[in-house]
Amino acid sequence: MNKAEQTRARVEAGLKRRYAAERRFRAYGLGAVLLGLAFVVLLFSTLVSQGWSAFRQAYVTLDVQYDAAIIDPEGTRDTATLSTADYAALVRASLKARFPEAQSRQETKALYALVSSSAAQAVQARILGDPSRIGGHERLTFLANDRVDQLLKGRIDRNLDEDSRSLTDQQVGWIDALAADGALSLHFNKGFFTQGDSREPEQAGVWGAVVGSLFTLGVTLLLSFPIGVSAAIYLEEFARRGKWTDLIEVNINNLAAVPSIVFGLLGLAVFLNFFGMPRSAPLVGGIVLTLLTLPTIIIASRAALKAVPPSIREAALGMGASRIQMVMHHVFPLAMPGILTGTIIGMARALGETAPLLMIGMVAFIVDVPKGLSDPATVLPVQVYLWADSAERAFVERTSAAILVLLAFLIVMNAAAVYLRNRFERRW
Amino acid sequence: MNTANPPVPENCSTVGVVTVENAVLSARGVDVYYGEKRAIKDVSVDIARNQVLAMIGPSGCGKSTFLRCLNRMNDTIEGCRVTGSITLEGQDIYDRSQDVVPLRARIGMVFQKPNPFPKSIYENVAYGPRIHGLAADRVELDEIVHTSLQRAGLWDEVKDRLTQPGTGLSGGQQQRLCIARTIAVNPEIILMDEPCSALDPIATARIEDLIDELREQYAIAIVTHSMQQAARVSQRTAYFHLGDLIEVGETDRIFTNPRHKLTEDYITGRFG
């Protein structure tokens, strides 16, 4: 056997092992991908199956008598009287008229509990909108109580013993009667997308948290993008390499790994206690999240700047461009896709951040949808946390639904990242 | 303007005449250090108007390093230090008062790998005039772009697609675009760092013709690996060896009658 044949024989002997190693590696990779996918599917399917029902809500339609004796006994029709009238009594009366068999105090109380407490406000709005309705009657649709809603969605087991479920047999009977004549049914839950938080699950909406998240993220983006990008450009293009830049680099990398609650404590100590900024405000939340996202943005931007080929820098400098012209005309535009990706990853992290916001009071129970940066507000992940902590059965589905909204937000942001990256991508 | 050539240091060991009559750029006793390492040792040479100076030598001999000193491109390299003097029409370019931005407008550079900006062909050429404010209006800018591309011999090939990206051109066209970009700011000297090493022979021949034409207006210094190229395009040749400038002279003389042993060994192909 000559030398060439020997070599060939050895190569062939090893071939099988080499291909086997490749196949094994592929199998591991595929396995890892499948495992990841399985968890994603599990997450989404549980969230959707739990939360989907929150997008529909039970509504009761009742015939309401606008009884002048209750609303405005003196007939003055002035707004002060009209806005303080006992509208709940009208709702109670119409329930009573629908089910006259409820007699005892306990029975009537159980009956009245079928309709949400928001019904009185709905009636008030009708009267204040047009006081001439007083004396007439109208069929109005109200939110049903959350337990009614849960029964209709099958989340309260009607076969259970009366004592171990939150509705009495009599209430179930009334609910069935209302459902039978079409006065009680599930409709699209508009309130969930337009209202703030509430103690009553049926009235609780996610909009307050959505707006809070938008304000907070807006502040974060407006602060962290310019600061982060400027810092990255300075460090990458202008700073002399040396002990100081090394020290700064190590610190930035460390900051990226600091637990977020620490940033919350910093925000509490500095922005609230020292500077006296408003508690629970998106402004402060945004500043705290800026501290949190800055390292991410700086690191990603520096990597993107570093990836711009040096030939472009040389070309610009060789033309007599000043350093800032070189950066602004050539390097920065080419690094833009990477910078944007880093920024959006940072923003996505900020969107999901809960712990630091707890420290600055964004965990407060806030009913009103915030109107400005200093209004008390909460954000989506904190809303999820608050609802997950609530006792009522109906908050379970709302928690999942709020998570779905949060995920939708994230998907939109990531889609924007992909779009922007493709948009700014330039080949050379 | 013609200032007297700065005196050549007495300990200059270069064989041949380093000075020329109508020098525009004069290096005297230039040392370049990368940190502790001395990459260029005591180099003195002149670059003349309307003439091509070719710098040849084996890899790592410092010819590119020396070329990059001439428009201070080495400033961007950390730890790089230049001593000695390089004067542009009597003015030391390493003087504190010398601003590198106008300097690089006067001494343009073409790099080894074609590096057009990832912008349109038009924008590539218009960039220099734009940042230096050379054109008063769009008409003037159009005119500069037109003449620059024409002088670079690229106009006919690209006149219908000026708005398309410069990076979409072939390698040779890209390099001519880079030359057009450089001459658009009307420099006095053009430095070329192995401008043909990434090109095929046909594109190389076009660039060489172009260099010959450009000589009528500019002083040119070119670093090249190819001795044939040096022989074809240059009037003077400088041979570098391990950071030393061994020999300078008329190109014809260097290739036919080298005086130094190292030069002879290199051009006869004994090493390199």
Side-chain angles (χ1 to χ4, degrees):
Chain A
M1 202 188 271
N2 66 25
K3 195 117 182 110
E5 277 171 354
Q6 236 171 22
T7 312
R8 211 164 57 222
R10 282 200 186 156
V11 168
E12 268 165 23
L15 268 185
K16 214 170 159 186
R17 203 163 31 82
R18 280 151 69 179
Y19 286 128
E22 184 179 326
R23 271 196 303 277
R24 246 188 344 265
F25 183 78
R26 279 176 178 220
Y28 294 150
L30 192 65
V33 170
L34 287 179
L35 190 70
L37 270 182
F39 277 113
V40 169
V41 168
L42 185 72
L43 173 78
F44 270 86
S45 56
T46 44
L47 280 177
V48 169
S49 65
Q50 290 251 348
W52 197 249
S53 53
F55 297 136
R56 287 164 71 76
Q57 183 72 27
Y59 289 89
V60 191
T61 308
L62 291 173
D63 194 36
V64 182
Q65 288 285 345
Y66 296 135
D67 189 345
I70 294 176
I71 303 171
D72 187 14
E74 275 138 44
T76 57
R77 298 288 190 270
D78 66 312
T79 346
T81 320
L82 293 184
S83 46
T84 51
D86 186 6
Y87 293 104
L90 297 182
V91 180
R92 287 200 295 270
S94 60
L95 275 168
K96 195 74 193 298
R98 177 69 181 73
F99 297 108
E101 70 268 24
Q103 285 301 329
S104 73
R105 207 178 145 270
Q106 239 182 353
E107 280 177 338
T108 50
K109 212 179 150 203
L111 178 63
Y112 301 155
L114 294 184
V115 175
S116 169
S117 63
S118 69
Q121 287 146 37
V123 178
Q124 183 194 41
R126 295 295 295 169
I127 295 299
L128 288 179
D130 182 6
S132 69
R133 291 195 175 107
I134 295 173
H137 71 102
E138 202 174 6
R139 282 182 74 77
L140 289 182
T141 303
F142 304 118
L143 274 173
N145 183 281
D146 59 299
R147 279 169 294 159
V148 177
D149 176 61
Q150 293 298 298
L151 185 80
L152 284 192
K153 289 170 180 167
R155 293 195 192 269
I156 292 179
D157 190 355
R158 55 174 68 231
N159 301 321
L160 272 179
D161 187 53
E162 186 175 20
D163 296 335
S164 43
R165 80 168 113 79
S166 51
L167 290 166
T168 63
D169 287 343
Q170 194 177 30
Q171 281 176 315
V172 173
W174 289 327
I175 291 168
D176 289 342
L178 282 169
D181 54 12
L184 176 62
S185 54
L186 292 171
H187 294 290
F188 175 66
N189 188 0
K190 195 175 150 220
F192 183 74
F193 296 101
T194 56
Q195 283 165 348
D197 197 8
S198 171
R199 290 280 182 232
E200 306 297 328
E202 73 274 7
Q203 293 172 45
V206 83
W207 187 240
V210 168
V211 173
S213 272
L214 281 175
F215 280 153
T216 309
L217 282 187
V219 172
T220 307
L221 182 65
L222 282 182
L223 289 175
S224 62
F225 185 73
I227 299 176
V229 172
S230 315
I233 288 179
Y234 178 78
L235 287 172
E236 205 50 49
E237 305 291 339
F238 293 97
R240 288 180 158 276
R241 301 271 180 281
K243 252 187 289 181
W244 286 108
T245 37
D246 285 350
L247 190 72
I248 291 173
E249 185 159 352
V250 168
N251 275 300
I252 290 174
N253 291 342
N254 274 340
L255 275 184
V258 166
S260 56
I261 189 120
V262 176
F263 287 103
L265 285 167
L266 178 81
L268 174 65
V270 175
F271 301 126
L272 296 192
N273 293 347
F274 187 75
F275 287 113
M277 291 170 126
R279 223 156 264 276
S280 309
L283 179 66
V284 183
I287 296 175
V288 169
L289 292 181
T290 299
L291 300 178
L292 198 82
T293 24
L294 267 180
T296 315
I297 294 184
I298 294 176
I299 292 169
S301 304
R302 288 188 69 179
L305 290 168
K306 220 175 265 182
V308 174
S311 65
I312 295 295
R313 286 169 227 265
E314 288 200 322
L317 288 179
M319 289 303 299
S322 64
R323 273 193 106 80
I324 191 73
Q325 284 174 327
M326 168 194 89
V327 171
M328 287 304 160
H329 296 165
H330 303 287
V331 178
F332 181 61
L334 288 174
M336 203 57 182
I339 292 177
L340 284 177
T341 311
T343 305
I344 290 174
I345 290 172
M347 297 305 290
R349 183 180 166 203
L351 173 65
E353 206 48 75
T354 323
L357 302 179
L358 303 185
M359 303 313 300
I360 56 155
M362 291 191 88
V363 72
F365 170 68
I366 291 144
V367 175
D368 293 323
V369 176
K371 293 202 172 54
L373 294 181
S374 53
D375 284 357
T378 190
V379 293
L380 277 168
V382 176
Q383 188 69 76
V384 169
Y385 166 74
L386 284 170
W387 283 350
D389 224 21
S390 300
E392 285 88 345
R393 185 72 186 78
F395 274 126
V396 174
E397 59 175 25
R398 269 158 213 273
T399 306
S400 294
I403 295 172
L404 285 176
V405 172
L406 183 66
L407 286 177
F409 243 82
L410 280 175
I411 289 169
V412 168
M413 282 173 72
N414 286 325
V418 172
Y419 172 75
L420 288 172
R421 195 168 51 219
N422 293 341
R423 178 83 215 278
F424 283 96
E425 190 127 79
R426 272 196 278 186
R427 315 211 169 274
W428 63 82
Chain B
M1 179 173 99
N2 205 351
T3 40
N5 288 340
V8 178
E10 279 171 19
N11 58 352
C12 178
S13 58
T14 305
V15 176
V17 188
V18 299
T19 57
V20 285
E21 198 88 329
N22 50 353
V24 57
L25 195 68
S26 305
R28 290 296 177 266
V30 172
D31 284 301
V32 181
Y33 297 87
Y34 289 126
E36 290 299 303
K37 189 176 170 271
R38 194 177 173 201
I40 293 285
K41 299 165 196 161
D42 204 15
V43 170
S44 300
V45 69
D46 280 352
I47 292 170
R49 283 192 186 79
N50 312 118
Q51 209 181 48
V52 178
L53 171 70
M55 304 187 196
I56 57 171
S59 298
C61 68
K63 51 196 192 302
S64 286
T65 298
F66 179 68
L67 188 78
R68 292 168 58 95
C69 288
L70 301 179
N71 70 345
R72 291 184 59 179
M73 281 303 281
N74 279 345
D75 286 14
T76 57
I77 297 171
E78 210 124 343
C80 178
R81 197 157 51 83
V82 179
T83 61
S85 86
I86 298 173
T87 52
L88 174 62
E89 292 183 331
Q91 174 70 40
D92 190 345
I93 65 168
Y94 279 89
D95 195 73
R96 271 180 183 282
S97 63
Q98 177 66 57
D99 190 340
V100 293
V101 166
L103 175 75
R104 288 179 189 148
R106 292 176 69 186
I107 308 178
M109 187 151 192
V110 177
F111 297 86
Q112 183 170 5
K113 196 174 149 247
N115 56 355
F117 299 124
K119 297 176 189 278
S120 73
I121 293 170
Y122 184 93
E123 285 302 318
N124 261 285
V125 183
Y127 183 69
R130 233 181 251 216
I131 56 171
H132 295 300
L134 301 185
D137 52 28
R138 181 77 190 194
V139 181
E140 217 176 315
L141 191 60
D142 285 349
E143 183 54 34
I144 293 176
V145 171
H146 180 194
T147 48
S148 304
L149 283 170
Q150 206 149 39
R151 271 166 43 202
L154 196 59
W155 175 255
D156 291 332
E157 290 159 64
V158 300
K159 62 176 182 237
D160 300 322
R161 45 174 176 153
L162 289 176
T163 54
Q164 283 172 27
T167 41
L169 298 172
S170 74
Q173 288 174 323
Q174 286 190 16
Q175 196 61 296
R176 276 181 284 145
L177 179 61
C178 292
I179 293 174
R181 182 177 70 184
T182 305
I183 59 184
V185 293
N186 222 359
E188 289 153 56
I189 303 168
I190 301 175
L191 307 176
M192 296 185 172
D193 189 357
E194 299 185 32
C196 302
S197 65
L199 305 182
D200 64 61
I202 295 169
T204 301
R206 293 212 58 170
I207 303 271
E208 286 179 4
D209 290 346
L210 180 58
I211 292 172
D212 213 42
E213 285 165 30
L214 293 174
R215 179 165 65 90
E216 288 165 17
Q217 272 176 304
Y218 309 100
I220 296 174
I222 178 172
V223 164
T224 176
H225 257 317
S226 148
M227 279 177 282
Q228 292 85 340
Q229 184 169 62
R232 282 193 300 263
V233 301
S234 72
Q235 287 70 51
R236 282 169 77 232
T237 297
Y239 173 66
F240 284 77
H241 184 84
L242 297 177
D244 286 307
L245 177 54
I246 301 296
E247 185 167 355
V248 183
E250 302 291 321
T251 300
D252 292 341
R253 207 255 315 143
I254 292 273
F255 281 98
T256 52
N257 184 20
R259 287 186 204 152
H260 198 285
K261 180 83 172 57
L262 284 169
T263 318
E264 190 184 345
D265 286 352
Y266 182 71
I267 61 174
T268 52
R270 223 160 286 170
F271 69 88

